[in-house]
């Protein structure tokens, strides 16, 4: 099953490689990984998406917790949560396709953030499935470039990952 | 003449100047920190990047430095020191090849959860990343085989980083920690303050097992019909062998120890069924396979213990006590997990046990012991006593007798290691020193040096083979320099015996590269280092030779026993088999 794991880590050099190294050394897979500082500059927040049986996910969270730089972590799937991913997609937009792409972007609540004679660059935000659906809706040969931020997530309500 | 500088310093009340005067170089901070930490000895080897530190070591006499002949040996010696004392081992090596040579020893300590702090020199901070001479990314290389590591970029962080390194290495599930110190950090100056206590918000090892889980476990233990205690290195690391012994005797249950756990419960006690696992005893493995309640303490269900996990303890409810939550249900599903320090949990268990009105089921115990004794009567460790050749098992039996079971015994890796584990009966913890997890050939001799440094008056034997000993044989020179009176028991069968055994069993006797040709004359080799060498070729000479060797209290004696080339280690659980599917002779 797919899990989103959020990690608060000491904002130290090499912290990212400790997590990445753990995953490669133990043969776990990472579907996406994002990391940035938080409002507290001494902490980084990492969000990673992984897949595995319950036993594997249990081992992953235990092994992550064992890393000395990991302060706290949360498996988003233990409660209600919101996930978001952001995508920038550059598509060919010339002739009749130009209107069609604009309409599609509107349907997906995307925003056109750059325009040229022949292209649109669109920003779409949502769950990974929504971004997949948008990519699927555009004619394959019209896609010039896709950039995805990787998944971030946050728990709903009072539940939170903080010190 | 009184020291005039001290005199002036005493009367110097100018605050700012005084602060400046207590500034030390990074190298001096290194030395002071180790002294404050209570460290008396460092195992190491000098080189360019650590020259400032060696210069500081040279100018003091509180911290002893032991010069080895290869950095791998420095880590193994510190490891042997740690395993035999429970105190952290300390290593100092230079950058680049110094650090990479140390990696094998660091990984060895990591696999067996041994507290080491390894200091590696590094090129100056300005050169890091420039492919400088003797530069290697030590933090990167060691990351997968340390509990944690640090690169110190600012001399102001040095003392607190050293304090953290010892704290992390020694607490929770222990392990090696690497501290990488660039050369310019060792020469820069800072005020010295070594914190007595330290806390880290990201690292809070468990200090107590959950009381309700402990009660639940005790209740389950007392309901058992066919109980089995299975204990590992965690008991020794937690210094909990007295609690384990008391609890085991109180319960009257059978106990088996892993390779790492030998000595935690007296081997000569009737309740001890010996070692379990791939080369464990028949009674221990059969006891495991047939038990209904398995009480695992400080053990990690390693594949060499479980055999095929699908066939492991099929009828057992499993209790598992371990300091490391990640060890629980990693390989085998656990029913009653208790995360906590083994010593504390055992103390609590004992308390609950003594207060409990429930007692072990006497009739069930009688029947269970009857079954166990039948297994024990198989005498699975028997071997040919009438051979004209020296049987390796015979040497170990005699070693046990001659040393009255009181020696510290280190071993290398292979057949000799298994025979030592089977035939030397350890009644005390911290006496059996071997590389269990990583299986590092070359470990035995340098580890024995560390043990001898820690216990100068004790008898230290290194059980090895002609393959393993040659992996760190240069350390005979270190032994000479420091006058270490080790006794080396070389079981020389001309083969990499364990490799040969597997080739015989599983590769139709195609002995690829397992025969050792062009062996040195070990007697002359030992003598060339200034030690005593002996070669023993006949069974009747084994005991007299051992007696003679162990009488030489102040000399290293290298005993080269030419043993039966065809002897194998039995019993054996082949790969993929269950614990009840042993090959018995």
């Amino acid at each position: 099953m797919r899990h989103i794991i959020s990690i608060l880590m000491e904002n130290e050099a090499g912290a990212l490689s400790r997590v990445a190294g753990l995953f490669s050394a133990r043969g776990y897979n990472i579907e996406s990984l994002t990391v940035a500082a938080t409002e507290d500059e001494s902490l980084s927040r990492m969000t990673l998406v992984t897949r595995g049986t319950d036993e594997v996910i249990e081992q992953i969270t235990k092994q992550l917790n064992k890393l000395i730089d990991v302060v706290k972590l949360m498996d988003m799937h233990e409660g209600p949560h919101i996930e978001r991913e952001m995508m920038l997609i550059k598509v060919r937009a010339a002739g009749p396709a130009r209107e069609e792409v604009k309409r599609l972007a509107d349907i997906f609540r995307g925003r056109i953030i750059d325009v040229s004679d022949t292209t649109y660059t669109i920003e779409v935000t949502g769950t990974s499935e929504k971004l997949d659906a948008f990519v699927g809706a555009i004619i394959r040969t019209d896609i010039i470039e896709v950039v995805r931020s990787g998944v971030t997530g946050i728990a709903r309500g009072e539940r939170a990952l903080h010190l | 003449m009184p020291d005039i500088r001290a005199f002036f310093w005493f009367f110097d009340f100018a605050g700012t100047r005084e602060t400046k005067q207590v500034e030390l170089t990074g190298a001096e901070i290194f030395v002071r920190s180790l002294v404050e930490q209570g460290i008396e000895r460092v195992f190491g080897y000098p080189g360019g990047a650590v020259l400032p530190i060696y210069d500081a070591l040279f100018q003091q006499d509180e911290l002893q430095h032991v010069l080895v002949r290869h950095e791998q040996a420095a880590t193994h010696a510190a490891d042997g020191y740690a395993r035999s004392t429970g105190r952290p081992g300390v290593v100092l090596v230079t950058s680049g090849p110094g650090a990479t040579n140390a990696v094998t020893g660091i990984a060895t300590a990591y696999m067996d959860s041994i507290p080491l702090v390894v200091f590696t020199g590094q090129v100056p901070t300005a050169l890091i990343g420039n492919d400088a001479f003797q530069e290697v990314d030590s933090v990167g290389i060691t990351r997968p085989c340390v509990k944690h590591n640090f690169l110190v970029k600012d001399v102001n962080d040095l003392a607190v980083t050293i304090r953290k390194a010892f704290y992390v290495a020694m607490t929770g599930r222990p392990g090696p920690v690497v501290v990488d110190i660039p050369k310019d950090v060792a020469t820069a100056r800072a005020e010295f303050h070594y914190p007595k206590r330290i806390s880290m918000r990201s690292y809070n090892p468990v200090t107590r097992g959950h009381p309700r889980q402990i009660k639940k476990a005790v209740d389950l233990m007392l309901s058992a019909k066919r109980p089995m205690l299975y204990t590992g290195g965690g008991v020794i690391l937690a210094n909990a062998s007295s609690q384990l012994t008391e609890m085991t005797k109180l319960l009257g249950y059978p106990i088996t120890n892993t390779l790492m756990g030998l000595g935690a419960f007296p081997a000569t006690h009737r309740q001890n069924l010996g070692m379990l696992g791939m080369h464990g005893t028949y009674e221990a493995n059969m006891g495991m396979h047939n038990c209904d309640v398995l009480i695992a303490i400080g053990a990690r269900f390693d594949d060499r213990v479980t055999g095929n996990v699908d066939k492991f303890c099929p009828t057992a409810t499993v209790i598992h006590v371990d300091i490391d939550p990640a060890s629980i249900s990693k390989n085998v599903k656990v029913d009653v997990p208790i995360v906590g320090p083994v010593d504390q949990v055992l103390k609590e268990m004992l308390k609950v046990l003594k207060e409990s009105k429930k007692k072990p089921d006497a009739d069930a115990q009688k029947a269970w012991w009857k079954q166990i004794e039948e297994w024990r009567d198989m005498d699975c460790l028997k071997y040919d006593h009438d051979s004209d050749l020296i049987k390796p098992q015979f040497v170990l039996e005699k070693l046990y007798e001659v040393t009255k079971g009181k020696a510290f015994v280190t071993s290398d890796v292979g057949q000799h290691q298994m025979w030592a584990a089977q035939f030397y009966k350890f009644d005390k913890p911290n006496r059996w020193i071997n590389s269990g997890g990583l299986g590092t050939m070359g470990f035995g001799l340098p580890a024995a040096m560390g043990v001898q440094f820690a216990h100068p008056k004790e008898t230290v034997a290194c059980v090895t083979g002609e393959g393993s000993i040659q992996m760190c044989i240069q350390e005979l020179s270190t032994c000479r320099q420091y006058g270490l009176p080790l006794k080396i028991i070389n079981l020389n069968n001309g083969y990499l015996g364990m490799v040969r055994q597997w080739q015989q069993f599983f590769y139709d006797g195609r002995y690829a590269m397992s025969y050792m040709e062009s062996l040195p004359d070990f007697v002359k080799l030992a003598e060339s280092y200034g030690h005593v060498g002996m070669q023993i070729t006949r069974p009747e000479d084994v005991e007299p030779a051992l007696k003679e060797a162990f009488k030489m209290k102040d000399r290293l004696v290298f005993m080269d026993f030419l043993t039966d080339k065809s002897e194998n280690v039995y019993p054996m659980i082949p790969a993929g088999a269950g614990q009840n599917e042993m090959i018995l002779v």
Side-chain angles (χ1 to χ4, degrees):
Chain A
M1 203 186 132
R2 177 174 175 272
H3 283 251
I4 300 171
I5 298 172
S6 289
I7 307 163
L8 277 183
M9 298 187 78
E10 296 289 354
N11 192 1
E12 303 262 355
L16 175 63
S17 66
R18 288 184 205 278
V19 173
L22 172 71
F23 273 69
S24 65
R26 294 194 180 263
Y28 309 139
N29 65 66
I30 302 183
E31 288 192 359
S32 77
L33 177 78
T34 70
V35 58
T38 62
E39 84 285 2
D40 176 348
E41 277 179 15
S42 68
L43 286 172
S44 299
R45 178 154 172 157
M46 186 180 290
T47 309
L48 63 84
V49 178
T50 184
R51 243 173 232 284
T53 59
D54 288 352
E55 290 77 29
V56 170
I57 298 295
E58 187 184 328
Q59 264 300 308
I60 290 176
T61 54
K62 282 175 170 177
Q63 294 292 347
L64 283 169
N65 262 318
K66 254 175 90 170
L67 293 177
I68 306 292
D69 283 341
V70 169
V71 183
K72 227 173 178 185
L73 64 78
M74 183 192 267
D75 181 346
M76 286 292 152
H77 292 259
E78 280 167 8
H81 63 277
I82 297 160
E83 67 168 278
R84 285 290 181 272
E85 188 175 1
M86 200 254 276
M87 172 169 69
L88 303 179
I89 177 166
K90 188 177 287 181
V91 296
R92 185 116 2 248
R98 205 166 168 88
E99 258 311 294
E100 178 60 18
V101 169
K102 171 80 175 73
R103 261 198 303 275
L104 266 178
D106 287 344
I107 292 167
F108 280 84
R109 295 183 207 283
R111 293 195 304 139
I112 296 174
I113 53 172
D114 185 55
V115 176
S116 77
D117 290 350
T118 51
T119 64
Y120 281 150
T121 300
I122 306 154
E123 176 194 320
V124 192
T125 305
T127 63
S128 302
E129 291 81 39
K130 177 182 161 181
L131 305 192
D132 291 342
F134 184 72
V135 171
I138 304 230
I139 299 164
R140 189 97 193 156
T141 49
D142 284 352
I143 299 174
I144 299 167
E145 192 177 354
V146 172
V147 194
R148 294 172 72 147
S149 64
V151 173
T152 58
I154 197 160
R156 281 186 182 275
E158 285 290 320
R159 201 167 69 107
L161 179 62
H162 61 98
L163 287 192
Chain B
M1 188 179 158
D3 188 338
I4 289 194
R5 281 166 306 171
F7 184 79
F8 280 110
W9 183 83
F10 187 75
F11 287 100
D12 184 2
F13 294 106
T16 49
R17 279 184 58 205
E18 189 178 297
T19 316
K20 269 203 161 162
Q21 276 177 337
V22 294
E23 279 200 344
L24 301 178
T25 65
E28 288 161 345
I29 289 173
F30 168 87
V31 172
R32 293 301 322 153
S33 297
L34 293 197
V35 171
E36 292 276 320
Q37 185 64 42
I39 303 301
E40 50 193 24
R41 188 172 290 108
V42 179
F43 299 89
Y45 204 99
V50 282
L51 277 171
I53 295 178
Y54 273 83
D55 195 45
L57 281 170
F58 189 78
Q59 299 178 53
Q60 55 84 49
D61 53 11
E62 286 172 280
L63 196 59
Q64 190 200 355
H65 178 276
V66 176
L67 177 69
V68 294
R69 298 298 181 269
H70 187 290
E71 289 89 349
Q72 180 187 349
T75 48
H76 291 331
D79 184 322
Y81 177 90
R83 288 181 205 234
S84 66
T85 59
R87 299 200 295 270
V90 183
V91 176
L92 172 62
V93 296
T94 194
S95 64
T100 56
N101 278 345
V103 167
T104 300
I106 295 169
T108 304
Y110 180 66
M111 288 293 275
D112 291 341
S113 308
I114 305 303
L116 292 190
V117 178
V118 179
F119 295 93
T120 53
Q122 184 54 276
V123 301
T125 44
L127 287 181
I128 289 179
N130 277 12
D131 301 323
F133 177 65
Q134 292 195 328
E135 180 186 359
V136 77
D137 175 9
S138 302
V139 165
I141 281 185
T142 57
R143 189 176 298 122
C145 60
V146 292
K147 184 170 172 187
H148 197 55
N149 56 20
F150 300 92
L151 168 62
V152 184
K153 284 189 164 169
D154 183 340
V155 67
N156 291 297
D157 299 334
L158 183 58
V160 70
T161 305
I162 293 174
R163 184 69 192 86
K164 278 184 187 172
F166 280 99
Y167 173 58
V168 171
M170 292 159 66
T171 51
R173 180 177 178 172
V177 175
V178 166
V179 182
D180 203 20
I181 306 176
K183 193 173 186 178
D184 56 324
V185 170
T187 51
R189 287 178 176 272
E191 272 183 58
F192 173 64
H193 170 67
Y194 195 72
K196 281 213 161 32
R197 299 175 63 87
I198 196 136
S199 70
M200 292 163 74
R201 64 177 175 183
S202 64
Y203 175 68
N204 296 294
V206 191
T207 53
R208 288 190 77 213
H210 197 290
R212 208 164 41 210
Q213 288 292 91
I214 292 173
K215 281 208 176 72
K216 201 170 151 190
V218 170
D219 193 56
L220 186 61
M221 278 152 65
L222 290 172
S223 318
K225 304 271 185 227
R226 302 184 310 281
M228 189 75 193
L229 284 137
Y230 145 55
T231 73
V235 178
I236 293 170
L237 291 166
N239 198 17
S241 92
S242 63
Q243 290 94 318
L244 175 72
T245 305
E246 188 184 349
M247 188 176 86
T248 307
K249 287 181 179 170
L250 196 66
L251 287 164
Y253 292 171
I255 180 170
T256 175
N257 304 139
T258 68
L259 180 66
M260 295 309 301
L262 297 176
F265 182 85
T268 51
H269 193 279
R270 186 191 66 89
Q271 278 169 258
N272 198 329
L273 309 189
M275 183 171 75
L276 81 165
M278 184 171 271
H279 295 296
T281 65
Y282 186 70
E283 53 271 32
N285 285 332
M286 291 302 281
M288 291 289 288
H289 188 80
N290 290 284
C291 72
D292 70 341
V293 173
L294 180 65
I295 306 148
I297 304 170
R300 61 184 178 92
F301 297 85
D302 173 74
D303 57 278
R304 284 297 191 266
V305 157
T306 60
N308 186 339
V309 284
D310 296 330
K311 299 177 182 175
F312 179 76
C313 295
T315 52
T317 307
V318 181
I319 298 165
H320 188 189
V321 182
D322 207 293
I323 184 86
D324 178 8
S327 277
I328 290 179
S329 291
K330 184 173 74 175
N331 303 331
V332 167
K333 182 101 184 66
V334 173
D335 302 288
V336 184
I338 301 169
V339 178
V342 168
D343 53 342
Q344 183 272 333
V345 172
L346 285 179
K347 264 182 216 153
E348 191 64 27
M349 277 183 164
L350 266 169
K351 202 169 137 234
V352 177
L353 256 180
K354 286 175 184 167
E355 287 167 359
S356 173
K357 289 191 182 73
K358 203 161 151 186
K359 296 288 165 229
D361 179 338
D363 291 340
Q365 289 321 298
K366 213 172 154 190
W368 179 226
W369 272 108
K370 185 167 171 284
Q371 171 66 71
I372 289 167
E373 293 304 340
E374 277 171 30
W375 289 326
R376 180 136 59 186
D377 288 343
M378 294 277 294
D379 193 11
C380 67
L381 299 180
K382 60 178 174 282
Y383 64 92
D384 179 8
H385 279 84
D386 303 321
S387 173
D388 293 335
L389 302 169
I390 298 178
K391 289 287 181 182
Q393 299 98 320
F394 179 68
V395 178
L396 285 156
E397 273 184 346
K398 289 296 157 195
L399 174 67
Y400 174 71
E401 286 172 25
V402 169
T403 57
K404 301 184 178 71
K406 286 179 181 160
F408 284 81
V409 179
T410 73
S411 94
D412 270 301
V413 171
Q415 287 183 319
H416 65 267
Q417 177 189 26
M418 293 299 115
W419 284 317
Q422 290 174 337
F423 287 88
Y424 201 99
K425 304 202 180 313
F426 295 94
D427 279 343
K428 284 184 183 167
N430 307 96
R431 302 264 163 158
W432 165 239
I433 314 284
N434 83 129
S435 166
L438 197 67
T440 309
M441 289 171 72
F443 175 82
L445 174 56
M449 302 188 319
V451 176
Q452 189 79 78
F453 272 113
H455 307 276
K457 302 245 184 289
E458 302 280 343
T459 302
V460 183
C462 166
V463 177
T464 183
E466 82 290 347
S468 286
I469 191 69
Q470 291 191 83
M471 285 210 184
C472 271
I473 193 136
Q474 75 286 346
E475 297 307 315
L476 287 174
S477 174
T478 310
C479 295
R480 172 68 175 164
Q481 181 174 346
Y482 295 94
L484 303 176
L486 306 177
K487 303 294 176 277
I488 298 173
I489 317 294
N490 189 40
L491 300 177
N492 182 349
N493 61 0
Y495 278 101
L496 301 176
M498 192 57 92
V499 175
R500 189 202 51 69
Q501 178 169 342
W502 281 60
Q503 288 169 335
Q504 179 190 335
F505 288 2
F506 311 118
Y507 296 88
D508 294 327
R510 293 185 297 278
Y511 298 128
M513 295 295 137
S514 54
Y515 182 65
M516 274 273 157
E517 279 185 89
S518 310
L519 290 175
D521 179 333
F522 286 110
V523 173
K524 280 189 189 156
L525 183 67
E527 286 170 355
S528 77
Y529 281 107
H531 302 308
V532 179
M534 291 180 179
Q535 189 175 64
I536 302 94
T537 56
R538 298 183 308 169
E540 58 269 34
D541 296 335
V542 168
E543 191 171 352
L546 283 166
K547 281 184 173 159
E548 189 191 339
F550 280 92
K551 264 191 206 127
M552 289 185 249
K553 297 276 181 214
D554 55 349
R555 299 296 299 276
L556 184 149
V557 185
F558 191 113
M559 277 167 281
D560 187 26
F561 292 92
L562 300 189
T563 62
D564 184 351
K565 292 181 186 303
S566 64
E567 192 55 80
N568 287 326
V569 182
Y570 296 108
M572 178 175 184
I573 302 174
Q579 285 188 318
N580 59 335
E581 300 169 313
M582 281 162 278
I583 305 172
L584 294 164
V585 190

